[in-house]
Amino acid sequence: MKESKENVKTIIRGIASGGTGGDPVAVDSKDGRIVRIRPMRWDDKYTMEELAPSLWELEVQGKTLKPAIKTAPPYMSLAYKNRVYSKNRVKYPLKRVDWEPGGDPAKINAQNRGKSKYKRISWEEALDIMESEIKRVMAKYGKYAVLCIGEDGHKESKNLHAGGGMHATVMNLIGGYTRETRTPDSVEGFYWGAKHVWGSGSNKGLGMIAPPQTNYNSWNVAKDITEHSQLIALHAGDLELTQTYGSQFWSQLIKFWEELGKEFVVIDPFCNYTAVCHDSMKWIPILPNTDAALDFAIMYVWIQEGLYKKDYVETHSVGFDKVKAYILGEEDGIPKTPAWAAPITGVPEWTIKALAREWGTKVTALVHFSSGAIKGPYSHEAGRTEAYKLAMQGLGAPGVQQFYMNASDISRHSISPSTTMPFVMGMKARQFYPNPQSIPRTMVAKAIQEGEAKWWGSPQIVYVTTDDQFKEYNYPAPADQGGSECRMFWSEKPCNMGCWNGGFNFQEALRSDKVECFVTNHQWLENDSLFADLILPVTTCLEEDDIGGASQIVAVKHAGYQDRALDPVGESMSDYQIAVELAKRFGVDEYITLGMDIDEAREYYFNESKLKDEISWEEFKEKGYYIPKISPTWKDDPPGMRQFYEDPEKYPLDTPTGKLEFYSEALAANFPEDKERQPLAKWIIGGPASEGWTHDETPFGEKAKTYPLLLTANPGRWRVHVQGDDIVWFREIETCKVKGHDGYLYEPVWISPEDAESRGIKNGDIVKLTNDQGTILVGAKVSQRVIPGAVIVNKGSRVDPIAPGLDRGGSTNLLSPPRAISKHCWGFPVSGYLVEAAKLEQNEYDEWKQKYPEAFDRKYDPAVGINYSSWVEGGAE
């Protein structure tokens, strides 16, 4: 921290909204208010000689890639002043005007959630309500009757003050709670499919750090691609879109790859931002959720023309003969030729052949990040076929890698145990507590509505071994273990309806009398909080003294001593402070604080980390940030699955056979009747529920006669999931929102000229996007960037309820199926499902305004959208 002559205070910290810290920024504030947020320079406090041992350098073909001395924070970090002072900020505790504690259905008025307004109350009243409701619900229903939602996942970049899990911490100390377990969001297809090919350690594709026994190393994957790959296939990977999680390093990396002469192909329903930003990209449009069919056709060409690594397949895998028989049509009489795949995928036959030959004759790396290909119905099939392709080309060979999230890391720090948590100074008081009762995040609505739930796998956290997927779990837990239905719901990440499956159904579940009390902790009045009974105001990361750093999607990993840039806005407190204040009511607060204030905790956890081996506490505190030294042998670290590639007997995978498994005997043994996820991957169309199918979401079934368009819902260019939809600067950008005739800024729906013309839709029209779940309103962007037969709407726009099943905000997850990705896989199918688009005619618009005046009369500011004054009685505070 330093004071300039103008009395401007500057602090350094990472504020990336994925919870990863990200490239740090300099936050300048004056008189207690933020003036600006800007990039900082690593040499602000260190000489280049001091920095040299901490910075990597990569030389390839006479060209050099190295980290920039000026940081490249994601643009959301640079715009975070908008978030701190948003008109949508919750500054004080709020209570729904027609809800009263006590559980009386006549007084909770559950049917009005998402409709009623709020009134300001004091912290004393809010904590009184929390204390009394917790005691009442646990006494009446049992110790697991409180569900803690949002224990982990995407969050603000906080550490000691927590971005999630503090409610679970205090509830565990009080006596117990039901845990909402995180499912493998963003990577469903890999988790439920590819893990059965390459093992459990690679449960987020090959880009997530693995346990030692899996012999996977995420360090140096990007280095290996840089040195050896000739072709880079972005199969539903949009790096320019998703680098908002940490930094803009991926732009630098792609440009370096271009300088080296690498070739690129983008396979996506949308001519995405990476394809648009880089001239070297070749775009192959594909219909959403048909990736498995394309993969089989590619593999067909490889088999017929001998374009795969036969020796590797023989020595490193099992079951290839069965997959080969399926691809050649020996099993079902249907050869999976390019001619077969063309009408399914929308990719011309000759394009499939050309792609297969390019891929099969060049050293190819596969880039994948958070796309619809592995987040839709039956996405485990595309997850497995992606693994099949890599296996057939010699996975682990020089340049044959999958690039995903942490696989972008170049150079290993000497004190870093992993890429995901390099030198995190953890909070011992905030831990995950296994208990007998849990509900997967994807099943909360079902558990409320039906009073029970059954699933397989992912009982406590997503990072578990593959065999966990064969275990059956049930809610409620057995009565002799204290199991009961949940009646109070407490969320620290109130975005289930905007981030997970079946959003409209989740809203309907919250309107049940079974939900006697719903509490949210949040900084902004949005999404699930609009259905809450009690809203507790939370500080942003810039309002707290903390200690942390950066982990993912950065060129340089750092640790930071983080002072606050300003005092808490209004009466907001951190989730940690809220937990402490509530814990005082139950006499357990010292189990959270451990008898330390924040300054003492910062020093304590620094000394618990390995940072102390390289820098003293005093110097760390004075400098404000530190880049740990890289290992002198970092270049020798084997990238990805190189050791398995070189010696599969010495370095086996943790699959049952120790090899890559094209055919899973484990799936055959445990789910012999499962036609949706068979022992080997297949092209699954699905069908009606009456015939035992979970989904009918392809253009070839009965449902497509009513809803003929396939929706792709990727993360937003101008958001991180649901974070940042109120940023004024972004909402002025043409691709962020579409201004309707009514002055409302609608979420864009990208639609092809052909599909728009056939529906009478023109650029700027208000469009109804509809399926069997309901209707959302969006604004038309007619563009050749979309393949005909598909529409593109970025996920994460805030909900703006008009009526049950009808929303103005354009949140795609409201329309997503409230079901699993398949019978035994309770992941979320939030992309690649069927919808129909139609222009909202003026007469229907007028009818809605008359029918739902409260929704259309809410105060609205186009600069930020719906906001605090839209929902709170008494004004703009």
Side-chain angles (χ1 to χ4, degrees):
M1 178 171 49
K2 64 183 181 181
E3 297 284 344
S4 73
K5 293 180 180 179
E6 295 80 18
N7 199 32
V8 173
K9 181 175 75 172
T10 299
I11 63 123
I12 304 296
R13 67 164 299 146
I15 54 176
S17 294
T20 61
D23 256 10
V25 295
V27 184
D28 299 326
S29 59
K30 185 175 182 180
D31 299 328
R33 287 188 63 85
I34 297 171
V35 178
R36 69 185 66 83
I37 300 175
R38 54 186 171 82
M40 55 85 70
R41 292 181 59 89
W42 295 117
D43 59 359
D44 279 348
K45 292 293 185 73
Y46 298 89
T47 66
M48 291 306 299
E49 290 74 19
E50 290 173 320
L51 290 172
S54 303
L55 301 178
W56 53 267
E57 190 170 299
L58 191 60
E59 293 186 7
V60 182
Q61 299 176 20
K63 301 179 184 295
T64 301
L65 177 67
K66 59 184 179 180
I69 296 302
K70 184 179 181 179
T71 61
Y75 33 83
M76 183 174 289
S77 297
L78 297 172
Y80 222 69
K81 176 182 175 182
N82 279 202
R83 287 291 267 167
V84 173
Y85 299 121
S86 172
K87 290 184 178 181
N88 201 34
R89 188 72 191 272
V90 179
K91 301 177 183 179
Y92 311 100
L94 300 174
K95 177 176 169 291
R96 188 159 60 89
V97 295
D98 55 356
W99 174 83
E100 293 297 332
D104 182 350
K107 294 182 179 181
I108 64 175
N109 289 300
Q111 74 281 359
N112 289 335
R113 291 190 175 114
K115 180 180 179 181
S116 304
K117 289 195 172 187
Y118 294 86
K119 64 180 179 181
R120 176 180 170 180
I121 61 173
S122 68
W123 265 112
E124 183 176 4
E125 182 179 354
L127 291 171
D128 284 346
I129 292 172
M130 291 292 293
E131 179 185 0
S132 65
E133 283 296 274
I134 289 170
K135 288 179 177 178
R136 179 188 68 80
V137 168
M138 295 180 75
K140 183 174 181 179
Y141 300 107
K143 61 182 180 179
Y144 301 130
V146 178
L147 175 67
C148 290
I149 298 173
E151 189 173 294
D152 70 338
H154 299 293
K155 55 187 178 292
E156 272 204 309
S157 290
K158 295 184 177 183
N159 187 21
L160 301 186
H161 286 278
M166 289 311 309
H167 55 350
T169 299
V170 71
M171 289 305 305
N172 184 71
L173 293 170
I174 290 172
Y177 69 101
T178 294
R179 185 177 184 193
E180 184 212 52
T181 60
R182 181 184 178 186
T183 56
D185 48 280
S186 300
V187 291
E188 304 286 359
F190 295 148
Y191 184 83
W192 299 105
K195 287 180 73 166
H196 296 283
V197 180
W198 54 41
S200 59
S202 303
N203 67 319
K204 279 206 169 185
L206 296 183
M208 185 57 68
I209 191 66
Q213 68 270 22
T214 63
N215 297 303
Y216 177 78
N217 174 37
S218 59
W219 301 106
N220 287 354
V221 169
K223 173 179 177 291
D224 190 62
I225 293 172
T226 303
E227 293 175 334
H228 300 290
S229 301
Q230 297 169 308
L231 175 65
I232 297 176
L234 292 93
H235 195 160
D238 190 354
L239 300 188
E240 290 288 350
L241 174 78
T242 46
Q243 64 178 337
T244 52
Y245 290 88
S247 76
Q248 299 182 57
F249 169 59
W250 283 352
S251 290
Q252 180 188 2
L253 184 60
I254 294 172
K255 287 186 179 296
F256 188 71
W257 286 344
E258 289 180 305
E259 291 176 12
L260 295 176
K262 298 188 186 299
E263 299 179 52
F264 299 85
V265 60
V266 174
I267 305 167
D268 200 295
F270 186 51
C271 188
N272 62 38
Y273 291 94
T274 304
V276 169
C277 291
H278 299 275
D279 293 339
S280 59
M281 303 288 165
K282 299 180 178 67
W283 176 42
I284 297 178
I286 183 173
L287 285 170
N289 212 31
T290 63
D291 305 86
L294 174 65
D295 289 346
F296 283 127
I298 290 172
M299 290 185 278
Y300 179 91
V301 175
W302 289 350
I303 292 170
Q304 292 291 75
E305 300 183 11
L307 299 179
Y308 69 100
K309 304 299 186 286
K310 295 180 182 179
D311 291 344
Y312 177 94
V313 169
E314 289 178 3
T315 56
H316 289 67
S317 73
V318 296
F320 179 70
D321 56 329
K322 293 181 174 63
V323 171
K324 181 178 178 181
Y326 173 72
I327 291 172
L328 296 181
E330 296 170 6
E331 177 186 317
D332 58 4
I334 304 174
K336 311 307 179 292
T337 65
W340 164 82
I344 296 173
T345 63
V347 182
E349 177 183 358
W350 65 268
T351 301
I352 297 174
K353 291 179 179 179
L355 174 61
R357 289 164 183 156
E358 281 284 294
W359 199 316
T361 57
K362 295 179 179 176
V363 179
T364 302
L366 202 155
V367 173
H368 190 106
F369 198 101
S370 193
S371 74
I374 41 84
K375 293 193 294 185
Y378 306 128
S379 55
H380 40 62
E381 301 308 276
R384 286 196 281 180
T385 56
E386 183 164 314
Y388 289 177
K389 288 185 301 182
L390 287 163
M392 289 180 70
Q393 294 303 323
L395 178 59
V400 182
Q401 302 282 2
Q402 187 196 55
F403 180 97
Y404 187 91
M405 194 177 288
N406 298 308
S408 66
D409 292 310
I410 298 177
S411 83
R412 174 175 54 84
H413 298 280
S414 297
I415 63 173
S416 299
S418 75
T419 54
T420 55
M421 298 179 68
F423 15 81
V424 169
M425 291 146 283
M427 188 66 174
K428 287 185 178 179
R430 187 180 81 251
Q431 299 178 11
F432 299 141
Y433 302 96
N435 56 49
Q437 186 158 296
S438 65
I439 307 173
R441 195 165 291 176
T442 50
M443 300 187 79
V444 171
K446 180 181 176 68
I448 295 171
Q449 292 166 326
E450 300 179 12
E452 61 182 13
K454 179 172 70 174
W455 67 96
W456 292 261
S458 194
Q460 295 293 343
I461 51 175
V462 299
Y463 309 112
V464 291
T465 56
T466 308
D467 59 2
D468 176 71
Q469 294 185 19
F470 306 131
K471 298 177 183 177
E472 180 182 317
Y473 297 88
N474 289 273
Y475 163 87
D480 60 0
Q481 296 181 26
S484 67
E485 287 190 55
C486 295
R487 296 290 180 158
M488 180 175 177
F489 298 75
W490 185 5
S491 176
E492 285 187 346
K493 286 188 180 59
C495 69
N496 279 34
M497 65 184 64
C499 292
W500 275 267
N501 57 316
F504 274 135
N505 190 55
F506 184 77
Q507 291 180 354
E508 191 60 31
L510 290 178
R511 295 187 181 102
S512 167
D513 287 341
K514 287 185 177 182
V515 182
E516 297 180 5
C517 177
F518 180 34
V519 182
T520 64
N521 296 14
H522 206 41
Q523 295 91 337
W524 302 280
L525 189 51
E526 57 194 24
N527 299 312
D528 298 9
S529 289
L530 303 182
F531 288 70
D533 304 315
L534 188 66
I535 303 171
L536 306 180
V538 177
T539 53
T540 69
C541 57
L542 294 180
E543 296 154 49
E544 298 298 346
D545 294 324
D546 211 329
I547 188 168
S551 56
Q552 299 170 353
I553 314 177
V554 290
V556 174
K557 296 180 184 294
H558 81 284
Y561 178 89
Q562 300 165 344
D563 283 334
R564 64 175 58 176
L566 70 159
D567 290 333
V569 171
E571 296 178 359
S572 58
M573 294 194 288
S574 70
D575 292 303
Y576 170 79
Q577 292 167 316
I578 292 170
V580 170
E581 290 303 313
L582 184 60
K584 289 178 181 178
R585 303 289 187 106
F586 293 88
V588 295
D589 52 298
E590 288 202 1
Y591 291 96
I592 300 176
T593 65
L594 306 183
M596 296 182 287
D597 63 23
I598 291 299
D599 284 337
E600 291 169 331
R602 289 201 281 185
E603 183 174 2
Y604 175 81
Y605 290 113
F606 169 86
N607 289 323
E608 288 281 297
S609 76
K610 291 186 177 182
L611 284 171
K612 68 179 184 302
D613 298 338
E614 294 190 4
I615 186 173
S616 69
W617 169 247
E618 290 74 19
E619 184 180 4
F620 180 62
K621 184 177 178 181
E622 188 276 325
K623 298 281 191 182
Y625 62 93
Y626 176 70
I627 308 173
K629 295 177 176 63
I630 59 176
S631 168
T633 61
W634 72 270
K635 292 184 179 180
D636 299 327
D637 292 345
M641 294 175 71
R642 180 61 48 77
Q643 289 179 307
F644 171 74
Y645 168 79
E646 294 176 342
D647 193 337
E649 300 300 324
K650 185 177 179 179
Y651 301 103
L653 305 178
D654 73 340
T655 58
T657 62
K659 297 184 178 183
L660 293 162
E661 298 189 352
F662 285 90
Y663 181 94
S664 173
E665 293 287 357
L667 282 174
N670 285 278
F671 300 122
E673 305 301 321
D674 190 341
K675 61 183 179 181
E676 297 180 315
R677 185 179 57 160
Q678 299 178 37
L680 59 87
K682 294 186 176 181
W683 166 240
I684 303 295
I685 296 177
S690 60
E691 297 179 10
W693 296 101
T694 304
H695 297 285
D696 179 15
E697 299 288 351
T698 71
F700 314 106
E702 189 67 25
K703 187 174 181 179
K705 295 177 182 178
T706 305
Y707 309 109
L709 296 172
L710 282 163
L711 170 66
T712 285
N714 285 338
R717 168 72 167 173
W718 309 113
R719 293 184 293 268
V720 175
H721 299 298
V722 298
Q723 300 180 66
D725 195 44
D726 59 349
I727 292 179
V728 176
W729 299 339
F730 294 168
R731 293 172 66 88
E732 297 171 351
I733 298 171
E734 182 182 0
T735 56
C736 182
K737 296 292 179 181
V738 173
K739 187 173 183 178
H741 64 76
D742 54 359
Y744 192 98
L745 296 188
Y746 290 90
E747 184 66 17
V749 56
W750 296 76
I751 186 170
S752 71
E754 297 93 327
D755 290 329
E757 183 178 5
S758 66
R759 291 164 173 80
I761 294 173
K762 295 182 180 179
N763 216 44
D765 282 346
I766 304 173
V767 173
K768 298 182 298 181
L769 208 62
T770 302
N771 67 2
D772 55 351
Q773 295 301 302
T775 297
I776 63 173
L777 299 185
V778 286
K781 285 197 76 68
V782 181
S783 174
Q784 293 182 343
R785 289 176 64 181
V786 188
I787 185 173
V791 289
I792 314 295
V793 183
N794 289 332
K795 61 171 286 190
S797 184
R798 288 170 293 164
V799 304
D800 187 3
I802 297 175
L806 179 60
D807 189 272
R808 200 178 185 186
S811 176
T812 58
N813 285 57
L814 297 176
L815 296 177
S816 63
R819 299 176 292 279
I821 60 173
S822 70
K823 180 180 179 180
H824 295 108
C825 307
W826 266 95
F828 63 1
V830 294
S831 188
Y833 52 88
L834 293 169
V835 297
E836 177 58 303
K839 179 181 177 180
L840 177 62
E841 299 295 346
Q842 187 63 47
N843 62 335
E844 188 172 13
Y845 179 88
D846 293 339
E847 288 175 7
W848 284 352
K849 286 191 70 174
Q850 288 186 327
K851 188 174 181 180
Y852 309 112
E854 292 179 349
F856 283 90
D857 290 343
R858 288 189 198 115
K859 292 181 180 179
Y860 179 78
D861 183 346
V864 295
I866 56 170
N867 57 79
Y868 187 94
S869 63
S870 310
W871 289 94
V872 180
E873 291 183 344
E877 277 295 338

